[in-house]
Amino acid sequence: MKPPVTDHLSQDCRAVSEILARVGDKWSVLIIMRLSDGPKRFSRLQQMIGNISHKMLSTTLRGLERDGLVTRTVHPTVPPQVEYSLTELGHDLTVPVNALGEWALRNQDKIRAARAQFDARQEFEVKAS
Amino acid sequence: MKPPVTDHLSQDCRAVSEILARVGDKWSVLIIMRLSDGPKRFSRLQQMIGNISHKMLSTTLRGLERDGLVTRTVHPTVPPQVEYSLTELGHDLTVPVNALGEWALRNQDKIRAARAQFDARQEFEVKAS
DNA sequence: CTGCATCCCAGATGATACTG
DNA sequence: CAGTATCATCTGGGATGCAG
């Protein structure tokens, strides 16, 4: 009647996974990073990020807003201006995300090296056919 | 000739994104978590994770191995046994990932609440049609 | 300027069956 | 037991056009 620790760990992992699904998609982090130093308008974000399509910026922002990570403020001017900014929750998130980011920066060389080595080995084994 | 900080920040974000693409996929983190307390065999992993398909476990493990995050050890027995374990790099990664995981656990309620509220508002606005 | 709908494609994922 | 190949399916993401 007493489930092992593995069980609750399992649930934790699901939760983590769910959040990572939000954070790990192609654009969320890029957007959050850009907003971390202040509110930005839609078009400003698009030009800052570069190669994000109109649609995905819109979609991703909507998702982030839904999760309470960013705020959407419409200024009823003509033409309309919409500002996005991080909520407190969103700002909070930048801390662990930055930690992961720093890890990525520190270790990107190792990863690239590992990939190169792995790929080289693959090629070698193919020759042995 | 001195690019603003934004520029190097931009590059950083790409790197972060790239790593998140690895870590953020549907299964990588689940696998890494399961391996964090010791080596596991293929079938053991599959039953621990639950609803992962044979193929995706295989594919994801391959990807992790390629990136130098896990090690694959074949024991030439009959039937063959294959053990997977975290490399030092992989073990390193669990630190920031756990940080993110703890954030997720701490804030999952807030996120759920935000979603519920957002969805409720959506429904309301639909009624106004 | 922003947002939303539609069409479309490429890649990710899953079910199944076969090999070593 | 572990890995791979094939085929079907689903989803993310881009292009475009229209609307507020």
Side-chain angles (χ1 to χ4, degrees):
Chain A
M1 283 294 95
K2 206 177 183 184
V5 184
T6 336
D7 221 27
H8 116 272
L9 235 179
S10 191
Q11 310 239 0
D12 289 6
C13 291
R14 308 287 171 182
V16 175
S17 254
E18 197 184 322
I19 303 298
L20 281 173
R22 147 98 293 128
V23 160
D25 77 20
K26 200 174 177 184
W27 303 112
S28 292
V29 169
L30 267 353
I31 293 175
I32 291 175
M33 300 288 237
R34 294 311 188 295
L35 288 179
S36 65
D37 65 337
K40 304 273 181 302
R41 289 184 43 197
F42 186 93
S43 48
R44 179 100 182 88
L45 278 173
Q46 185 167 27
Q47 72 181 63
M48 283 183 82
I49 296 181
N51 40 23
I52 185 174
S53 71
H54 198 116
K55 176 190 174 184
M56 285 318 296
L57 181 54
S58 183
T59 303
T60 308
L61 281 170
R62 228 166 124 65
L64 293 173
E65 187 195 358
R66 184 170 110 99
D67 286 354
L69 296 171
V70 309
T71 305
R72 180 170 169 277
T73 313
V74 181
H75 298 281
T77 59
V78 175
Q81 298 196 354
V82 184
E83 266 202 351
Y84 291 91
S85 63
L86 289 183
T87 62
E88 195 186 326
L89 189 60
H91 202 77
D92 251 35
L93 179 56
T94 63
V95 177
V97 164
N98 275 323
L100 196 52
E102 278 163 34
W103 185 92
L105 288 176
R106 270 201 311 279
N107 296 102
Q108 55 180 326
D109 290 342
K110 289 185 188 172
I111 291 184
R112 275 190 240 291
R115 282 184 186 165
Q117 185 182 332
F118 184 90
D119 293 346
R121 186 171 339 184
Q122 289 301 299
E123 210 174 315
F124 172 78
E125 287 175 14
V126 168
K127 279 202 308 186
S129 62
Chain B
M1 282 298 93
K2 205 178 186 186
V5 183
T6 337
D7 222 28
H8 117 272
L9 235 179
S10 190
Q11 311 239 358
D12 288 5
C13 290
R14 307 288 171 181
V16 175
S17 255
E18 196 184 323
I19 303 297
L20 281 173
R22 147 97 295 125
V23 161
D25 77 20
K26 201 174 176 183
W27 303 112
S28 293
V29 169
L30 266 354
I31 294 175
I32 291 175
M33 300 288 237
R34 295 308 189 297
L35 288 178
S36 65
D37 64 337
K40 303 274 180 301
R41 289 183 45 195
F42 186 93
S43 48
R44 180 99 183 89
L45 278 172
Q46 184 167 27
Q47 71 182 64
M48 283 184 81
I49 296 181
N51 40 25
I52 184 174
S53 70
H54 198 114
K55 178 187 174 185
M56 284 317 297
L57 180 54
S58 184
T59 303
T60 307
L61 281 170
R62 231 164 126 64
L64 293 172
E65 186 193 359
R66 184 170 109 100
D67 286 355
L69 296 172
V70 309
T71 305
R72 179 171 170 278
T73 313
V74 180
H75 298 282
T77 60
V78 175
Q81 299 196 355
V82 184
E83 267 202 350
Y84 292 91
S85 63
L86 289 183
T87 62
E88 195 186 324
L89 189 60
H91 202 76
D92 251 35
L93 178 56
T94 63
V95 177
V97 164
N98 275 323
L100 197 52
E102 279 163 34
W103 184 93
L105 288 176
R106 269 201 312 278
N107 297 102
Q108 55 179 325
D109 290 342
K110 289 184 188 173
I111 291 183
R112 275 188 241 291
R115 282 184 187 166
Q117 187 182 331
F118 185 89
D119 293 346
R121 187 171 338 187
Q122 290 301 299
E123 211 175 311
F124 173 77
E125 286 174 13
V126 167
K127 279 203 307 185
S129 63

